């Protein structure tokens, strides 16, 4: 199956209103171009340098999403091309993004990455810390960021029950935060190649699919 065929299979399986971020990390620009030519406009990358390099070689109407752990010393470069930083996992990072966005004279949409999965290695806020931070209203002073929603991952397991449980948990956190932040907080980014149909059932508004569309990654 070709990239356009796989891309369209995913798109056809998504209900109206659910968008697709094509996760293109480690894949060559020619593959992104194929997806672009088939109509895809949202691409997600894990590394800033790779995102910046690819963005220079592709049309400017692409919406680039950052989904990997972001180091503060990479924020400036990220802000120069990114549309949405989905992997905001600390208050320090949020403040850094705000500072660099201000410097660049722009506003950056951010999702808060929340940790619900069983693995300890996965980054993200824990639920209590995040709710406490949002309740502090400190984020309201960050004039160059817009909090747009939540990003998360399910436990890496074959158990559909555990995966569904994680996604439903993310949805509850999302709804709790939306009630505090406001209606512009409306993005729930969850679901990857192996589990995105379950994520959609649990209310995802954005799914992040890579290997199903582009094939296995060569690291
Ligand atoms: C790599 C990655 C994906 C996509 O994973 P696939 O299994 O290739 O679909 C989604 N989200 C994040 C945060 C990732 O790092």
């Amino acid at each position: 199956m070709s990239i356009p065929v796989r891309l369209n299979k995913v798109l056809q399986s998504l209900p109206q209103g659910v968008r697709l971020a094509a996760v293109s990390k480690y894949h060559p620009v020619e593959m992104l171009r194929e997806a672009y030519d088939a109509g895809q406009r949202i691409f997600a990358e894990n590394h800033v340098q790779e995102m910046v390099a690819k963005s220079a070689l592709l049309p400017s109407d692409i919406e680039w999403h950052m989904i990997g752990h972001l180091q503060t010393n990479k924020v400036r470069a990220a802000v120069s091309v990114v549309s949405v930083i989905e992997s905001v996992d600390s208050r320090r990072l949020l403040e850094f993004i705000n500072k660099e966005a201000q410097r660049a004279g722009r506003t950056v949409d951010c999702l808060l990455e929340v940790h619900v999965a069983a693995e300890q290695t996965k980054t993200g806020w824990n639920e209590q810390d995040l709710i406490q931070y949002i309740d502090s209203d400190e984020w309201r002073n960050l004039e160059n960021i817009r909090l747009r929603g939540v990003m998360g991952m399910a436990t890496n397991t074959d158990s559909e029950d555990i995966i569904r449980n994680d996604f439903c948990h993310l949805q509850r956190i999302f709804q709790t935060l939306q009630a505090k932040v406001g209606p512009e907080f409306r993005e729930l980014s969850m679901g990857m190649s192996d589990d995105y149909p379950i994520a959609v059932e649990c209310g995802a508004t954005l799914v992040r699919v890579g290997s199903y569309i582009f094939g296995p990654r060569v690291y």
Side-chain angles (χ1 to χ4, degrees), residues 23 25 46 67-68 113 151 153 191-194 208-212 215 217 219:
V23 179
K25 61 189 184 198
N46 262 43
I67 59 171
E113 181 176 356
M151 186 270 259
M153 271 176 266
M192 324 202 304
S193 290
D194 289 338
R208 308 180 307 271
V209 180
S211 41
Y212 181 78
R217 288 178 282 274
Y219 294 101

